Each structure stands twice: as structure tokens, then as C-alpha cells.
Amino acid sequence: MSTVPAVMPTYSRVDLSFDRGEGAWLLANDGRRFLDFASGIAVTGLGHAHPHLVEALTSQAAKLWHCSNLFRIPGQERLAQRLVDGSFADSVFFTNSGAEAIEAALKLARRHQHVVRGETARYRTIVTRNAFHGRTLATVTAGGQAKHVKGFEPLVEGFDRVDFGDLDAARAAVTEETAAILVEPIQGEGGIFPAPEGYLSGLRRLADEHGLLLILDEVQTGVGRTGKLFAHEWDGIIPDVVAIAKGIGAGFPMGACLAREPYASALVAGSHGSTFGGNPLAMAVGNAVLDIILAEGFLDGVSARGADLIARLDGLVHRHPTILAGVRGRGLMIGLVCAAPNGVVLNALREQGLLAVPAEAGVVRLLPPMIIGEAEVTAAEEMIDRACVHLEREAA
């Protein structure tokens, strides 16, 4: 008799399951109600069962699920054009996930150097320590964290790792074999570390000087999470390629690789593809997400609620210094730095009815849906306060 569970044990799961979601709230099968500040790790950015998304998906499901990329897909063309109109990009390749979007970006960079520029020796990518770019063999190599790569060696060749935020180190890492730079505007899984001021613009200059592609991983930061459509807009730079996922599907699995024209043109018919990427169901959801995200005032609201939440968290850090040590982040991508072990804090928050996400560097990530209002911010503040009081009493 097998001792391996039917579901392969690749996750350390909490003994909790959910029956349904309503906006920012999740209702568990045991009757408990949770305020969802995890959002499926920054995925359900518009909350649960949003009426506009439900209507878009069910309407499409009643008409056509899949036809493959052998044929034109009107919803795909519309979503691509909207992303192009709202961004730096000239063209979009749709995927099923963020990892696939990063893979597409890495392949695009190599192919641009090899085919368009004739630089066949250029294949290496400069990446940063403490990063996370996905779970495929290439993307775990790009992320480079020991816990993600152990046992999967030999890893994919072609990544040179430098400290996040260190421009001099990035400059020193450039060789005649370098094709691209890949970086997150805010390191998410690594502990919510925003790029230092001037870092992304410095990487932009470095890429221009050496003919490199600047690739941004906006899988977690993109599609409104920081209060702008893309986080790099805060830094006023124009990247060459950006990978997105999570928020653009709001819970439906999809991603995209956005690129400027000189680079996008490197991928031609037959050079790259996806069976499911860009299918009618995903495109219906993606377009519905943009209907909401791009509505006048929505992103300003995300910024305002993020600033309010960060201010209240600062107050909690001041009141509970043995439990909380600081707050960092942007918009509604917030890291609560813990003085106590972050796993202990996370469990205490859950006991109070608040769901959050762990990260490296002793951080609890707060990634609420972007539809939250003052009532949810107040509820979260009260839950965190009660969790801290409980932990303080336990330690006394």
C-alpha cells in the first residue's frame, strides 16, 4: 500500500479549506470566516466572485472554451491591444502562468541577440540574489534560492547573480556573453524589498550602454498591485520586456510577456508557442479585469488604501515592538517585518481571522484584494492588534 498521498505532497498545507468567497472574505468549510489578505498570493486582486468577472467568464464558457492559437482569437487581440495602449509595450505573448511568461522573456532575449543582432555569444542573464521568478528549471535557476534548486542540479546554464540594489555589482557582471538583465521592481517572496531609488534607472542605462535587454518580473507587482498598472512606472523607466501573471487573471490561470517592438519581433511563427495560452476563457477574464483596473480613479484608490494601511501598521509596530519590527512596501503589496518568528505571527493572525502570506527575511506579506475599503482596513488592523496582544501574553 502506498504511503504517498493521492495529491503529490509538494506543499506544506494549513488544515483549512474553503467553501466560497465573497469579495475580500473567504468562508471555510468549518463555518469560520476569514479576511483574505493573502489573495491567493497576490492573485485574486479583485476579490472573490466579483460579479463582473463571473459574468465575463460564464458568458464566454457558454460560447467557446478553446480553439488553439491556430486561429485568430478576438478576445486575445483586444486584450493585447489594451495592454499595449496602457504600457511601454508594442506586442504581447500570452501564457498560462508567470513562470512561462519569464521563460518567454528569457527566450526572447537570447533570440533577439542571436537572430536580430547576430550576437550568438550573448546568452547570459544577470539576475539578483534573493529573487523569485517561478518553478520551472530555468526560472528556479534564475531565482537561485537554495531551497528551490536543491536536488534539481545540474541547473540551467547562463545566469550571473549579483546583490539586489547594487548597481556597481551589476556593472561588473557584464561580459561579452551577457544578453539581458532580469529583476523584480519589488522583491516579493524575498521579503518585500522595493528597488532602491535610482536602481532601475541605473539598470536601464547599463542595459543601453551594452546592448542588453532589461527584463522586469512584474508577476506579483503588475496589474495595479502597487497603485499603478505596472510597478516600474513609479521609477519612470521604460523596460524592454515585462512578465506578468497573477493579477491579470484574478484567479484564472494566465500570464503574459509584454515587449517593445525591436525585441518582440525576434519571436516569429514557430519560434515559440503555447497550447492553452491566450485561450478565449482566459481572455474574457483578462479583459474584464482591465475593465475594472483601468476605470477612472481605481488605481488612485489602491494607492490611498495602501497608504492608509501602511500608516496603521506603523502604529501597530510602535505598540507591539516585541512582535513587529517594521513595515515596507508600496500600494497594497506590503511586508510586515516581524520581531517574533514570522510563522508564529502568521498563525496568530489566522487565529484572529486574517489570512496572509509568509516571505523570506522574517516577513509576513499582506496582499489584500484591491477592492478593499476602510472597513476591511480597520478589520485587519484590529485583527493584527489582537494577534500581537495574544502573542505578548503568551511570552509574558
Side-chain angles (χ1 to χ4, degrees), residues 112-141:
H112 171 78
Q113 296 289 3
H114 295 184
V115 176
V116 178
R117 299 187 65 204
E119 298 271 9
T120 55
R122 290 183 180 266
Y123 71 101
R124 307 189 68 83
T125 299
I126 296 173
V127 294
T128 64
R129 295 187 176 88
N130 201 42
F132 181 78
H133 298 298
R135 297 281 189 171
T136 67
L137 198 52
T139 56
V140 293
T141 309

Side-chain angles (χ1 to χ4, degrees), residues 291-306:
D291 290 344
I292 297 167
I293 297 285
L294 297 179
E296 186 174 354
F298 183 87
L299 292 175
D300 289 339
V302 172
S303 291
R305 286 186 291 278

Side-chain angles (χ1 to χ4, degrees), residues 256-346:
C257 176
L258 288 67
R260 295 168 60 197
E261 192 280 333
Y263 312 104
S265 59
L267 293 182
V268 298
S271 61
H272 193 53
S274 171
T275 296
F276 298 109
N279 83 8
L281 293 172
M283 297 301 97
V285 174
N287 274 304
V289 167
L290 288 192
D291 290 344
I292 297 167
I293 297 285
L294 297 179
E296 186 174 354
F298 183 87
L299 292 175
D300 289 339
V302 172
S303 291
R305 286 186 291 278
D308 182 23
L309 181 55
I310 288 173
R312 298 192 196 205
L313 293 172
D314 275 331
L316 291 172
V317 170
H318 182 73
R319 288 205 295 275
H320 304 289
T322 63
I323 309 300
L324 305 176
V327 182
R328 57 176 175 248
R330 173 167 273 166
L332 289 173
M333 184 174 177
I334 299 170
L336 195 52
V337 186
C338 299
N342 63 338
V344 171
V345 174
L346 198 66

Side-chain angles (χ1 to χ4, degrees), residues 51-65 281 284-285:
H52 186 60
L53 303 189
V54 171
E55 197 282 329
L57 180 60
T58 54
S59 294
Q60 184 59 50
K63 294 190 294 186
L64 179 65
W65 290 28
L281 293 172
V285 174

Side-chain angles (χ1 to χ4, degrees), residues 99-118:
E100 286 179 74
I102 293 291
E103 287 270 357
L106 294 170
K107 288 179 69 177
L108 187 155
R110 288 192 183 191
R111 190 169 169 87
H112 171 78
Q113 296 289 3
H114 295 184
V115 176
V116 178
R117 299 187 65 204

